[in-house]
Protein backbone atom coordinates (compact mmCIF):
# COMPACT_ATOMS: atom_id res chain seq x y z
CA UNK A 1 0.00 0.00 0.00
CA UNK A 2 1.13 3.52 -0.78
CA UNK A 3 1.91 5.54 2.35
CA UNK A 4 3.09 8.59 0.43
CA UNK A 5 0.04 10.79 0.81
CA UNK A 6 -0.61 14.49 0.44
CA UNK A 7 -0.79 16.39 3.67
CA UNK A 8 -2.14 19.79 4.78
CA UNK A 9 1.05 21.54 3.74
CA UNK A 10 0.67 20.23 0.15
CA UNK A 11 -2.62 22.00 -0.46
CA UNK A 12 -3.89 25.57 -0.29
CA UNK A 13 -6.52 25.97 2.40
CA UNK A 14 -6.60 29.77 2.74
CA UNK A 15 -10.12 31.11 2.61
CA UNK A 16 -11.52 27.60 2.23
CA UNK A 17 -13.76 25.54 4.44
CA UNK A 18 -12.00 22.46 5.75
CA UNK A 19 -13.89 19.43 6.97
CA UNK A 20 -11.48 18.04 9.59
CA UNK A 21 -11.96 14.51 10.90
CA UNK A 22 -10.45 14.40 14.39
CA UNK A 23 -10.18 11.69 17.00
CA UNK A 24 -12.04 13.27 19.90
CA UNK A 25 -13.17 9.90 21.22
CA UNK A 26 -12.08 10.85 24.73
CA UNK A 27 -12.86 8.98 27.95
CA UNK A 28 -15.66 10.60 29.95
CA UNK A 29 -16.45 10.31 33.66
CA UNK A 30 -18.87 7.43 34.21
CA UNK A 31 -21.31 9.56 36.26
CA UNK A 32 -22.60 11.45 33.20
CA UNK A 33 -21.22 14.76 34.54
CA UNK A 34 -19.62 15.55 31.19
CA UNK A 35 -16.12 15.60 32.65
CA UNK A 36 -13.36 14.52 30.25
CA UNK A 37 -11.02 12.27 32.25
CA UNK A 38 -8.14 12.41 29.74
CA UNK A 39 -7.85 15.17 27.12
CA UNK A 40 -4.70 13.78 25.45
CA UNK A 41 -6.47 13.24 22.13
CA UNK A 42 -7.81 16.80 22.07
CA UNK A 43 -4.34 18.19 22.76
CA UNK A 44 -2.87 15.92 20.08
CA UNK A 45 -5.23 17.46 17.51
CA UNK A 46 -4.08 21.04 18.21
CA UNK A 47 -1.15 21.30 15.74
CA UNK A 48 -3.31 20.51 12.72
CA UNK A 49 -6.19 22.72 13.91
CA UNK A 50 -3.90 25.64 14.70
CA UNK A 51 -2.12 25.32 11.36
CA UNK A 52 -5.42 25.36 9.46
CA UNK A 53 -6.73 28.37 11.40
CA UNK A 54 -3.45 30.26 10.92
CA UNK A 55 -3.62 29.54 7.20
CA UNK A 56 -7.00 31.26 7.12
CA UNK A 57 -9.18 28.19 6.76
CA UNK A 58 -12.61 27.92 8.34
CA UNK A 59 -12.50 24.60 10.18
CA UNK A 60 -15.48 22.28 10.46
CA UNK A 61 -14.26 19.67 12.94
CA UNK A 62 -15.98 16.35 13.48
CA UNK A 63 -15.44 13.15 15.44
CA UNK A 64 -17.26 10.23 16.92
CA UNK A 65 -17.42 9.45 20.62
CA UNK A 66 -18.27 6.01 21.99
CA UNK A 67 -20.76 3.76 20.30
CA UNK A 68 -24.19 5.42 20.26
CA UNK A 69 -25.15 3.25 17.25
CA UNK A 70 -27.37 5.85 15.65
CA UNK A 71 -29.08 6.83 18.89
CA UNK A 72 -28.96 10.39 20.17
CA UNK A 73 -27.37 9.59 23.57
CA UNK A 74 -26.82 12.88 25.46
CA UNK A 75 -23.93 11.47 27.53
CA UNK A 76 -22.00 11.03 24.26
CA UNK A 77 -22.46 14.61 23.07
CA UNK A 78 -19.41 16.46 21.73
CA UNK A 79 -20.30 19.55 23.80
CA UNK A 80 -17.70 18.91 26.54
CA UNK A 81 -15.09 18.52 23.78
CA UNK A 82 -16.05 21.91 22.31
CA UNK A 83 -15.59 23.45 25.74
CA UNK A 84 -12.19 21.86 26.37
CA UNK A 85 -10.98 22.54 22.83
CA UNK A 86 -11.92 26.20 23.12
CA UNK A 87 -9.94 26.46 26.40
CA UNK A 88 -6.90 24.89 24.72
CA UNK A 89 -7.16 26.99 21.56
CA UNK A 90 -7.96 30.21 23.40
CA UNK A 91 -10.84 30.93 21.04
CA UNK A 92 -14.49 30.07 20.78
CA UNK A 93 -15.38 26.69 19.31
CA UNK A 94 -18.85 27.04 17.85
CA UNK A 95 -20.93 23.96 18.68
CA UNK A 96 -23.47 22.66 16.19
CA UNK A 97 -26.69 21.20 17.60
CA UNK A 98 -26.65 18.44 14.97
CA UNK A 99 -24.35 16.79 12.42
CA UNK A 100 -25.61 17.59 8.94
CA UNK A 101 -28.96 19.10 9.95
CA UNK A 102 -30.27 22.66 9.71
CA UNK A 103 -28.17 24.04 12.57
CA UNK A 104 -24.87 22.59 11.30
CA UNK A 105 -25.64 23.76 7.75
CA UNK A 106 -26.41 27.30 8.86
CA UNK A 107 -23.38 27.53 11.14
CA UNK A 108 -21.05 26.03 8.50
CA UNK A 109 -22.35 28.45 5.86
CA UNK A 110 -21.71 31.44 8.15
CA UNK A 111 -18.28 30.23 9.30
CA UNK A 112 -15.46 32.72 8.63
CA UNK A 113 -11.73 32.12 8.01
CA UNK A 114 -10.01 31.54 11.36
CA UNK A 115 -13.19 30.24 13.00
CA UNK A 116 -13.88 26.69 14.10
CA UNK A 117 -17.14 24.77 14.30
CA UNK A 118 -17.60 21.36 15.92
CA UNK A 119 -20.31 18.99 14.71
CA UNK A 120 -22.23 16.64 16.98
CA UNK A 121 -21.17 13.01 17.46
CA UNK A 122 -20.90 11.48 13.98
CA UNK A 123 -22.17 8.13 15.23
CA UNK A 124 -25.49 9.69 16.26
CA UNK A 125 -26.19 9.01 12.58
CA UNK A 126 -26.26 5.39 11.42
CA UNK A 127 -24.89 6.54 8.06
CA UNK A 128 -21.46 7.12 9.61
CA UNK A 129 -20.44 3.52 10.32
CA UNK A 130 -22.40 2.24 7.28
CA UNK A 131 -20.39 4.57 5.08
CA UNK A 132 -23.66 5.79 3.61
CA UNK A 133 -22.82 7.90 0.51
CA UNK A 134 -25.70 10.30 1.22
CA UNK A 135 -24.36 10.99 4.72
CA UNK A 136 -20.79 11.34 3.38
CA UNK A 137 -22.02 13.79 0.74
CA UNK A 138 -23.95 15.79 3.34
CA UNK A 139 -20.76 16.09 5.42
CA UNK A 140 -18.77 17.15 2.35
CA UNK A 141 -21.44 19.70 1.39
CA UNK A 142 -20.87 21.52 4.68
CA UNK A 143 -17.44 22.52 3.34
CA UNK A 144 -18.98 23.83 0.11
CA UNK A 145 -17.84 23.75 -3.50
CA UNK A 146 -14.16 24.56 -2.94
CA UNK A 147 -13.97 22.69 0.38
CA UNK A 148 -11.14 20.44 1.49
CA UNK A 149 -11.17 17.28 3.62
CA UNK A 150 -8.39 16.78 6.15
CA UNK A 151 -8.16 13.44 7.92
CA UNK A 152 -6.38 13.40 11.26
CA UNK A 153 -8.06 10.59 13.18
CA UNK A 154 -5.53 7.79 12.88
CA UNK A 155 -7.47 5.67 15.39
CA UNK A 156 -10.24 5.14 12.81
CA UNK A 157 -8.34 4.91 9.49
CA UNK A 158 -8.82 1.13 9.47
CA UNK A 159 -12.56 1.68 9.22
CA UNK A 160 -14.29 2.60 5.96
CA UNK A 161 -16.78 5.01 7.48
CA UNK A 162 -18.46 8.04 5.92
CA UNK A 163 -16.20 10.55 7.70
CA UNK A 164 -12.99 8.52 7.36
CA UNK A 165 -13.21 7.33 3.75
CA UNK A 166 -16.57 7.99 2.08
CA UNK A 167 -16.26 11.77 2.20
CA UNK A 168 -13.08 11.64 0.08
CA UNK A 169 -15.25 10.90 -2.96
CA UNK A 170 -16.58 14.46 -2.78
CA UNK A 171 -13.67 16.60 -1.56
CA UNK A 172 -9.90 16.70 -2.18
CA UNK A 173 -8.52 14.63 0.71
CA UNK A 174 -5.24 15.09 2.57
CA UNK A 175 -3.81 14.04 5.92
CA UNK A 176 -3.28 16.17 8.99
CA UNK A 177 -0.02 16.14 10.95
CA UNK A 178 -0.98 13.22 13.20
CA UNK A 179 -1.69 10.84 10.35
CA UNK A 180 1.28 12.14 8.41
CA UNK A 181 3.57 11.20 11.30
CA UNK A 182 2.09 7.71 11.56
CA UNK A 183 2.54 7.19 7.82
CA UNK A 184 6.07 8.57 7.79
CA UNK A 185 7.32 6.55 10.74
CA UNK A 186 5.37 3.28 10.66
CA UNK A 187 4.99 3.32 6.88
CA UNK A 188 8.68 4.09 6.55
CA UNK A 189 9.65 1.25 8.89
CA UNK A 190 7.52 -1.23 6.95
CA UNK A 191 8.47 -0.11 3.46
CA UNK A 192 12.14 0.75 3.84
CA UNK A 193 13.38 0.08 7.39
CA UNK A 194 16.71 1.06 8.78
CA UNK A 195 18.16 -2.41 9.43
CA UNK A 196 18.41 -4.60 11.29
CA UNK A 197 14.66 -4.47 11.83
CA UNK A 198 13.65 -6.20 15.06
CA UNK A 199 9.97 -6.92 15.72
CA UNK A 200 8.94 -7.65 19.29
CA UNK A 201 5.55 -9.30 19.45
CA UNK A 202 3.69 -10.16 22.60
CA UNK A 203 0.32 -9.66 24.20
CA UNK A 204 -2.24 -12.22 25.12
CA UNK A 205 -3.28 -14.25 22.12
CA UNK A 206 -1.71 -15.68 18.99
CA UNK A 207 -5.11 -15.50 17.30
CA UNK A 208 -5.23 -11.69 17.55
CA UNK A 209 -1.70 -11.36 16.16
CA UNK A 210 -1.60 -13.84 13.29
CA UNK A 211 -1.55 -11.12 10.63
CA UNK A 212 1.14 -9.14 12.44
CA UNK A 213 3.43 -12.13 12.98
CA UNK A 214 2.99 -13.26 9.41
CA UNK A 215 3.66 -9.85 7.88
CA UNK A 216 6.64 -9.01 10.10
CA UNK A 217 8.24 -12.37 9.29
CA UNK A 218 8.26 -11.09 5.69
CA UNK A 219 10.19 -7.93 6.44
CA UNK A 220 12.03 -8.15 9.77
CA UNK A 221 15.52 -9.51 10.39
CA UNK A 222 14.62 -10.70 13.87
CA UNK A 223 11.21 -11.53 15.35
CA UNK A 224 10.91 -11.84 19.11
CA UNK A 225 7.92 -13.55 20.70
CA UNK A 226 6.81 -12.91 24.27
CA UNK A 227 3.64 -12.54 26.33
CA UNK A 228 0.82 -15.05 26.58
CA UNK A 229 1.11 -16.16 23.00
CA UNK A 230 4.56 -17.63 23.60
CA UNK A 231 2.93 -20.60 25.36
CA UNK A 232 1.10 -21.68 22.24
CA UNK A 233 4.50 -21.78 20.52
CA UNK A 234 5.96 -23.72 23.46
CA UNK A 235 3.09 -26.23 23.50
CA UNK A 236 3.35 -26.64 19.71
CA UNK A 237 6.98 -27.64 20.19
CA UNK A 238 5.97 -30.28 22.72
CA UNK A 239 6.53 -28.26 25.88
CA UNK A 240 4.44 -28.39 29.05
CA UNK A 241 2.73 -25.06 29.69
CA UNK A 242 0.58 -25.88 32.75
CA UNK A 243 -2.35 -23.46 33.06
CA UNK A 244 -0.78 -20.79 30.85
CA UNK A 245 -2.78 -19.08 28.13
CA UNK A 246 -2.94 -21.64 25.35
CA UNK A 247 -4.71 -21.62 22.04
CA UNK A 248 -4.49 -25.24 20.97
CA UNK A 249 -6.16 -24.44 17.64
CA UNK A 250 -3.23 -22.23 16.74
CA UNK A 251 -0.40 -24.67 17.48
CA UNK A 252 -0.10 -25.65 13.82
CA UNK A 253 0.04 -21.98 12.89
CA UNK A 254 2.86 -21.50 15.40
CA UNK A 255 4.80 -24.39 13.81
CA UNK A 256 4.18 -22.88 10.36
CA UNK A 257 5.61 -19.57 11.57
CA UNK A 258 8.70 -21.29 12.99
CA UNK A 259 9.20 -22.96 9.60
CA UNK A 260 8.58 -19.72 7.74
CA UNK A 261 11.24 -17.97 9.81
CA UNK A 262 13.75 -20.73 8.97
CA UNK A 263 12.96 -20.51 5.27
CA UNK A 264 13.25 -16.75 5.22
CA UNK A 265 16.40 -16.67 7.30
CA UNK A 266 14.66 -14.59 9.95
CA UNK A 267 15.96 -15.02 13.47
CA UNK A 268 12.97 -16.08 15.60
CA UNK A 269 13.50 -15.77 19.35
CA UNK A 270 11.17 -17.59 21.73
CA UNK A 271 11.32 -17.36 25.54
CA UNK A 272 13.61 -19.96 27.08
CA UNK A 273 12.47 -19.28 30.64
CA UNK A 274 9.27 -18.07 32.21
CA UNK A 275 8.08 -16.51 35.44
CA UNK A 276 5.12 -18.66 36.35
CA UNK A 277 2.55 -18.11 39.09
CA UNK A 278 0.18 -20.33 41.05
CA UNK A 279 -2.73 -17.97 40.28
CA UNK A 280 -3.66 -15.09 37.99
CA UNK A 281 -3.28 -12.47 40.71
CA UNK A 282 -0.96 -9.56 41.55
CA UNK A 283 0.28 -11.26 44.73
CA UNK A 284 0.46 -14.81 43.40
CA UNK A 285 3.37 -16.99 44.39
CA UNK A 286 5.90 -17.14 41.56
CA UNK A 287 8.96 -19.00 40.35
CA UNK A 288 11.21 -19.16 37.29
CA UNK A 289 11.14 -22.33 35.18
CA UNK A 290 12.18 -23.31 31.64
CA UNK A 291 9.33 -22.29 29.31
CA UNK A 292 8.44 -25.85 28.27
CA UNK A 293 8.42 -27.14 31.86
CA UNK A 294 5.64 -25.24 33.58
CA UNK A 295 4.10 -27.47 36.27
CA UNK A 296 0.39 -28.25 36.36
CA UNK A 297 -1.49 -25.63 38.35
CA UNK A 298 1.02 -22.91 37.37
CA UNK A 299 0.78 -20.35 34.60
CA UNK A 300 3.37 -18.25 32.80
CA UNK A 301 2.78 -14.55 33.42
CA UNK A 302 6.11 -13.03 32.35
CA UNK A 303 9.31 -13.83 30.47
CA UNK A 304 12.16 -15.08 32.67
CA UNK A 305 15.54 -13.43 33.36
CA UNK A 306 17.53 -15.36 30.72
CA UNK A 307 14.95 -14.45 28.11
CA UNK A 308 15.05 -10.82 29.22
CA UNK A 309 18.79 -10.81 28.72
CA UNK A 310 18.57 -12.35 25.24
CA UNK A 311 15.80 -9.99 24.12
CA UNK A 312 17.55 -6.88 25.40
CA UNK A 313 20.74 -7.97 23.60
CA UNK A 314 18.77 -8.46 20.37
CA UNK A 315 17.51 -4.87 20.34
CA UNK A 316 20.81 -3.28 21.37
CA UNK A 317 22.21 -2.95 17.84
CA UNK A 318 18.92 -2.73 15.96
CA UNK A 319 18.31 -0.03 13.34
CA UNK A 320 14.56 -0.15 13.87
CA UNK A 321 12.43 -1.81 16.54
CA UNK A 322 8.70 -2.32 16.12
CA UNK A 323 7.06 -3.41 19.35
CA UNK A 324 3.54 -4.69 19.70
CA UNK A 325 2.29 -6.55 22.73
CA UNK A 326 3.58 -6.61 26.33
CA UNK A 327 5.95 -9.40 27.42
CA UNK A 328 3.81 -10.33 30.40
CA UNK A 329 0.89 -9.28 32.57
CA UNK A 330 2.36 -5.82 33.09
CA UNK A 331 -0.79 -4.68 34.90
CA UNK A 332 0.56 -6.62 37.91
CA UNK A 333 3.84 -5.02 39.13
CA UNK A 334 5.31 -8.41 39.95
CA UNK A 335 4.89 -9.56 36.35
CA UNK A 336 5.83 -6.28 34.64
CA UNK A 337 9.57 -6.98 34.94
CA UNK A 338 10.04 -8.36 31.42
CA UNK A 339 8.01 -5.63 29.76
CA UNK A 340 9.86 -3.00 31.76
CA UNK A 341 13.27 -4.40 30.86
CA UNK A 342 12.43 -4.43 27.16
CA UNK A 343 11.10 -0.85 27.39
CA UNK A 344 14.32 0.18 29.09
CA UNK A 345 16.44 -1.56 26.44
CA UNK A 346 14.49 0.29 23.75
CA UNK A 347 15.03 3.58 25.55
CA UNK A 348 18.78 3.01 25.37
CA UNK A 349 19.20 2.02 21.71
CA UNK A 350 19.91 4.45 18.91
CA UNK A 351 17.31 2.57 16.88
CA UNK A 352 14.08 4.05 15.61
CA UNK A 353 11.61 2.70 18.18
CA UNK A 354 7.96 2.31 17.32
CA UNK A 355 5.24 1.20 19.70
CA UNK A 356 1.95 0.00 18.26
CA UNK A 357 -1.12 -1.41 19.98
CA UNK A 358 -3.32 0.03 22.69
CA UNK A 359 -2.05 -2.00 25.64
CA UNK A 360 1.58 -1.70 24.54
CA UNK A 361 1.26 2.08 24.39
CA UNK A 362 -0.37 2.04 27.83
CA UNK A 363 2.42 -0.17 29.20
CA UNK A 364 5.19 2.09 27.91
CA UNK A 365 3.40 5.11 29.36
CA UNK A 366 2.67 3.46 32.70
CA UNK A 367 6.27 2.30 33.06
CA UNK A 368 7.58 5.80 32.32
CA UNK A 369 9.36 5.28 28.98
CA UNK A 370 6.96 7.12 26.67
CA UNK A 371 9.19 10.11 25.96
CA UNK A 372 12.15 7.85 25.17
CA UNK A 373 10.49 6.25 22.14
CA UNK A 374 10.63 7.56 18.58
CA UNK A 375 6.95 7.04 18.07
CA UNK A 376 3.98 5.71 20.01
CA UNK A 377 1.12 5.12 17.64
CA UNK A 378 -2.12 6.90 18.53
CA UNK A 379 -4.24 4.14 17.01
CA UNK A 380 -4.62 0.76 18.72
CA UNK A 381 -6.54 -1.29 16.18
CA UNK A 382 -5.39 0.91 13.31
CA UNK A 383 -1.72 0.42 14.14
CA UNK A 384 -2.25 -3.37 14.31
CA UNK A 385 -3.83 -3.45 10.87
CA UNK A 386 -1.06 -1.17 9.62
CA UNK A 387 1.58 -3.65 10.89
CA UNK A 388 -0.38 -6.49 9.31
CA UNK A 389 0.30 -4.81 5.99
CA UNK A 390 -3.43 -4.37 5.37
CA UNK A 391 -4.78 -1.56 3.27
CA UNK A 392 -6.21 1.13 5.54
CA UNK A 393 -9.35 2.59 3.91
CA UNK A 394 -8.88 5.99 5.54
CA UNK A 395 -5.34 6.20 4.17
CA UNK A 396 -6.12 4.76 0.74
CA UNK A 397 -8.78 7.47 0.34
CA UNK A 398 -6.21 10.30 0.58
CA UNK A 399 -4.58 11.89 -2.46
CA UNK A 400 -1.23 10.42 -3.47
CA UNK A 401 1.75 12.75 -3.34
P1 LIG B 1 -1.86 -4.59 22.32
O1 LIG B 1 -3.15 -3.93 22.78
O2 LIG B 1 -0.68 -3.74 22.57
O3 LIG B 1 -1.96 -5.08 20.90
P2 LIG B 1 -2.66 -7.13 23.44
O4 LIG B 1 -4.05 -6.63 23.55
O5 LIG B 1 -2.38 -8.16 22.42
O6 LIG B 1 -1.64 -5.89 23.24
O7 LIG B 1 -2.16 -7.76 24.81
C1 LIG B 1 -2.16 -7.07 26.02
C2 LIG B 1 -2.55 -7.96 27.16
O8 LIG B 1 -1.81 -9.18 27.15
C3 LIG B 1 -2.27 -7.32 28.49
O9 LIG B 1 -3.49 -7.04 29.12
C4 LIG B 1 -1.45 -8.37 29.25
O10 LIG B 1 -1.85 -8.52 30.58
C5 LIG B 1 -1.74 -9.62 28.46
N1 LIG B 1 -0.68 -10.64 28.64
C6 LIG B 1 0.63 -10.52 28.38
N2 LIG B 1 1.29 -11.63 28.74
C7 LIG B 1 0.38 -12.48 29.27
C8 LIG B 1 0.45 -13.79 29.84
N3 LIG B 1 1.60 -14.43 29.94
N4 LIG B 1 -0.69 -14.34 30.29
C9 LIG B 1 -1.86 -13.68 30.18
N5 LIG B 1 -1.99 -12.45 29.65
C10 LIG B 1 -0.89 -11.85 29.21
MG1 LIG C 1 -5.04 -4.78 23.32
Amino acid sequence: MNYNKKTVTDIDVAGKKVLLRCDFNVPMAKDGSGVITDDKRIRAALPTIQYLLEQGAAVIACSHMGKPKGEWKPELSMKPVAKRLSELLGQEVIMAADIVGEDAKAKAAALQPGQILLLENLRYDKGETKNDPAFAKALADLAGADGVYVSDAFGTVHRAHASTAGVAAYLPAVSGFLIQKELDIIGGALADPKRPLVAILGGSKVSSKIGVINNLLEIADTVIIGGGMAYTFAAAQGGKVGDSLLEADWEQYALDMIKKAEEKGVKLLLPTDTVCANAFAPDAESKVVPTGEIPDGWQGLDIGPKTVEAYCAAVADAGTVIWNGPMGVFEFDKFAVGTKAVAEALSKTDAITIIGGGDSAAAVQQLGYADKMTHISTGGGASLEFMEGKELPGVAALLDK
Side-chain angles (χ1 to χ4, degrees):
M1 118 156 241
N2 181 10
Y3 309 125
N4 205 8
K5 295 294 182 174
K6 279 197 180 165
T7 185
V8 272
T9 51
D10 296 321
I11 196 165
D12 181 19
V13 295
K16 296 183 180 169
K17 290 194 172 119
V18 171
L19 181 73
L20 173 65
R21 176 52 154 108
C22 299
D23 181 0
F24 291 148
N25 183 25
V26 289
M28 305 290 293
K30 300 258 182 295
D31 59 6
S33 57
V35 172
I36 297 166
T37 54
D38 184 354
D39 67 357
K40 192 168 64 220
R41 288 180 170 165
I42 304 178
R43 283 184 283 112
L46 293 176
T48 301
I49 295 174
Q50 275 158 340
Y51 173 82
L52 291 169
L53 294 173
E54 279 161 16
Q55 292 294 308
V59 175
I60 303 165
C62 60
S63 172
H64 78 280
M65 189 194 291
K67 294 180 177 168
K69 297 190 175 155
E71 269 177 63
W72 208 272
K73 293 196 171 151
E75 69 275 19
L76 293 175
S77 167
M78 301 306 294
K79 280 185 207 131
V81 173
K83 183 162 170 278
R84 184 70 190 124
L85 180 58
S86 98
E87 286 164 8
L88 291 166
L89 282 173
Q91 78 176 72
E92 187 196 5
V93 174
I94 303 163
M95 185 66 212
D98 47 28
I99 313 165
V100 291
E102 290 313 314
D103 191 60
K105 276 195 231 167
K107 284 176 175 159
L111 203 66
Q112 296 301 309
Q115 289 189 321
I116 174 167
L117 169 72
L118 179 61
L119 307 179
E120 257 304 356
N121 190 340
L122 291 163
R123 291 192 189 168
Y124 281 170
D125 194 304
K126 281 204 172 93
E128 165 65 357
T129 54
K130 280 191 191 148
N131 195 7
D132 172 13
F135 182 64
K137 171 112 185 1
L139 282 171
D141 284 347
L142 294 174
D146 65 347
V148 170
Y149 166 65
V150 175
S151 171
D152 216 16
F154 183 72
T156 51
V157 287
H158 57 316
R159 311 262 183 243
H161 291 170
S163 72
T164 62
V167 74
Y170 310 101
L171 293 173
V174 300
S175 74
F177 296 127
L178 280 176
I179 289 194
Q180 186 197 5
K181 187 173 179 228
E182 301 275 358
L183 294 181
D184 280 355
I185 300 183
I186 304 183
L190 296 174
D192 184 21
K194 189 166 169 252
R195 293 191 182 272
L197 169 62
V198 179
I200 308 174
L201 303 174
S204 48
K205 293 180 174 173
V206 175
S207 58
S208 64
K209 300 291 165 78
I210 37 175
V212 180
I213 302 172
N214 199 35
N215 189 45
L216 287 170
L217 276 173
E218 297 284 340
I219 50 184
D221 301 290
T222 302
V223 172
I224 292 174
I225 304 280
M229 68 187 191
Y231 307 105
T232 297
F233 280 82
Q237 290 177 306
K240 282 182 60 193
V241 298
D243 292 346
S244 305
L245 249 186
L246 171 66
E247 291 177 290
D249 292 350
W250 291 96
E251 284 182 30
Q252 185 55 48
Y253 170 86
L255 293 176
D256 292 346
M257 291 301 108
I258 293 170
K259 191 154 159 255
K260 179 169 174 171
E262 272 166 20
E263 285 166 4
K264 296 239 160 221
V266 176
K267 217 188 272 171
L268 180 67
L269 302 184
L270 294 162
T272 52
D273 60 350
T274 282
V275 180
C276 64
N278 63 354
F280 187 86
D283 56 353
E285 199 184 310
S286 68
K287 60 183 178 186
V288 176
V289 299
T291 298
E293 297 173 27
I294 301 173
D296 290 342
W298 292 70
Q299 53 188 298
L301 295 186
D302 197 5
I303 53 175
K306 282 199 193 111
T307 305
V308 166
E309 210 175 291
Y311 288 7
C312 292
V315 301
D317 63 349
T320 308
V321 183
I322 298 180
W323 184 11
N324 168 254
M327 295 292 97
V329 182
F330 73 94
E331 294 92 337
F332 301 157
D333 282 350
K334 197 171 175 182
F335 305 104
V337 178
T339 303
K340 188 161 188 200
V342 168
E344 175 147 4
L346 256 59
S347 75
K348 287 183 182 153
T349 63
D350 298 325
I352 296 164
T353 48
I354 300 168
I355 317 297
D359 292 292
S360 311
V364 167
Q365 245 131 24
Q366 183 191 309
L367 298 169
Y369 292 95
D371 56 356
K372 300 273 176 28
M373 304 299 167
T374 308
H375 180 60
I376 300 181
S377 179
T378 53
S383 66
L384 267 188
E385 292 200 17
F386 203 163
M387 291 184 282
E388 287 174 11
K390 277 196 191 156
E391 176 164 290
L392 304 167
V395 174
L398 306 178
L399 293 170
D400 290 335
K401 241 194 187 146

